[in-house]
Amino acid sequence: NDDTWNVLEERMEQSKLMIYVMTDNSIQSSYTEREVIFFKKKGKSVFVLSYKTSLKEPIYLDGCPRIQVHEVSSLMPKRNNQ
């Protein structure tokens, strides 16, 4: 619904990047496609982490770099320990 999308959009505006976990469920979800397209239109980075999928990769992921699980932590911002 529109309320859910508005909340998601607000959170995505605050985010610097997206890690898209590609599964059969995420490929079939209309929300994840919409989220990826939103991020790409904003010029934000979308990284794809493939996990046990048997479906064809969707076209909306074209141009998105692929990452492995061990690379995820290197994408996260460093936090100051205070």
Side-chain angles (χ1 to χ4, degrees):
N1 76 36
D2 287 340
D3 290 337
T4 301
W5 178 252
N6 290 336
V7 171
L8 284 171
E9 193 174 80
E10 182 180 328
R11 297 294 183 238
M12 290 187 293
E13 286 283 357
Q14 298 168 349
S15 300
K16 292 181 173 52
L17 61 88
M18 173 188 283
I19 299 173
Y20 176 94
V21 181
M22 186 169 55
T23 64
D24 289 347
N25 287 339
S26 66
I27 290 170
Q28 294 171 337
S29 167
S30 60
Y31 270 104
T32 56
E33 177 179 0
R34 195 170 169 189
E35 291 165 4
V36 169
I37 291 169
F38 177 88
F39 249 74
K40 289 173 86 174
K41 283 183 179 177
K42 294 286 182 176
K44 296 183 178 195
S45 297
V46 178
F47 296 89
V48 179
L49 176 65
S50 185
Y51 183 77
K52 296 183 182 178
T53 183
S54 60
L55 299 176
K56 183 179 176 191
E57 184 174 306
I59 195 160
Y60 60 83
L61 294 176
D62 285 357
C64 298
R66 303 316 184 251
I67 59 170
Q68 302 296 317
V69 171
H70 68 275
E71 297 173 293
V72 171
S73 63
S74 68
L75 297 173
M76 299 300 156
K78 304 294 184 237
R79 294 184 183 241
N80 294 333
N81 291 334
Q82 297 179 353

